[in-house]
Amino acid sequence: MAPNPHSEVPLRPEPIEAKIIDGKKISEEIKIELREQIKEWMQQENVRAPQLTCILVGEDSASQVYVKNKMKAANDVGIKSETINLPKTISEDELIQIIERLNDDNSVDGILVQLPLPDHIDDKKICNIVSCEKDVDGFNSTNLGRLSQDLNTMVPCTPLGVQELLKKYDIETFGKTAVVVGRSAHVGKPIQSLLQSDGRHEISGMDCTTIMCHRFTPPEKLKKFCREADIIIVAVGKPNLIREDMIKPGACVIDVGITRIYDEETKKSKLVGDVDFENVKKVAGLITPVPGGVGPMTVCMLMKNTFTAAKRLAKLRKEKLIK
Ligand SMILES: Nc1nc(=O)c2c([nH]1)NC[C@@H]1CN(c3ccc(C(=O)N[C@@H](CCC(=O)O)C(=O)O)cc3)C=[N+]21
C-alpha cells in the first residue's frame, strides 16, 4: 500500500514560542560573581568596602521602593550603602552643596541621585554636579558624551544591563539591524550608542545598524521599521505599544518599559512593559518579561559600576593623585 503522503503532517503546526530571557536569574548570578570579586579585591588591596550613597528627594513611593532595592542589592554583594533622605522642599542650591560634599568625601565611591526630582530642581544640572569618577549612574554629560564617542566611560545601568543580557544569551549583534523605540537621555539614547558602537574603538563594540523611533514616528513607519529589526529595544512606558504584527519572526525583543496598572482579574496592581508579551512571544525568538527582565539587571549593573568606581578611586588614592 502506498504510504499516506499526509501521515507525516501533524494535525497542528508545532507551536513556536520565544525563549524567555531571565533577567532575574542572570542578575543573581552576576551578583554572586561580584560578591566574590569585591571580597578578593578588598583582601588583595587591603582596602575598605566600596561605598554607595543614594540621595532620595521627596516621598515618591516608587522611588522609595527602587532605592530600597538598590540598598538590598548593595548589601548582597558586600557594598556599603546609605540613603540620604531629603524633603521635597529642598532648594537646588542646598542639594548641590550636599552633592559637592559627597564629591570631596573620600569614604564615598558612588553617588546616585534618584530621579525624578521635584519640578523646581533641574535634574540635568544636578547630574552634572556629581563628579565623573563617582557618577555610577553614568548620567553626567561628560560620561554620556564619552559613550557617544565610543570611549571608556561609566555606562548608564539600564543600557549596560541590556547589553549584558544580549551577551549572556549569545545574541549576535555584528551587522544586525536594531530598532530602539524611545529616545530618552538615560535609556534610549545610550542604548543606541552601545548598539552602534564600533568594535575597533575603546568600548566593546556591538556594530549594529540602528534606527531610533520616538513619539513622532508615524505608527505605520514604526511598524515597518520594527518588522525589519533583528533586535527591538523598547523604552517608552506605553503598555502594548509593540504588538505581534510588528515583529519579524525570530527577532529578539527587549522590553524596558515599566507601567503600574490595575489588574481586573486579581484586583491588584501589577507591572507591565511596553510589549504585548503574550502575543509577541508567539512570533519572537527571544523576549524579556516585565517584571523579571531588564529591571533586575539595572540594579545589578549599578553594583558593577560602584565596584568599578571604587577600584579606580582606590588606585588614584594609592598613587596619591587624589586625597
Ligand atoms: N538616578 C536614577 N537611576 C536609576 O537607575 C533610576 C532612577 N534614577 N529612577 C527610576 C529608574 C527606574 N529604575 C528601575 C530600577 C529597577 C527596577 C526593577 O528592579 N524592576 C523589577 C520590579 C520591581 C518592582 O516590583 O517594583 C523588575 O522589573 O523585575 C525597575 C526600574 C531605575 N531608575
Side-chain angles (χ1 to χ4, degrees), residues 263-281:
D263 186 4
E264 291 293 342
E265 271 175 45
T266 61
K267 310 267 182 236
K268 281 185 189 153
S269 81
K270 67 167 186 177
L271 290 184
V272 294
D274 294 338
V275 175
D276 178 1
F277 182 82
E278 287 309 320
N279 292 310
V280 168
K281 81 169 184 217

Side-chain angles (χ1 to χ4, degrees), residues 65-66 69-70 112-116 137 139 258 260 271 291-293 295-296 298-299:
V65 172
Y66 290 142
N69 287 349
K70 290 168 187 173
L112 179 144
V113 183
Q114 185 69 20
L115 301 178
D137 257 332
F139 288 175
I258 19 171
R260 192 167 286 282
L271 290 184
T298 297
V299 180

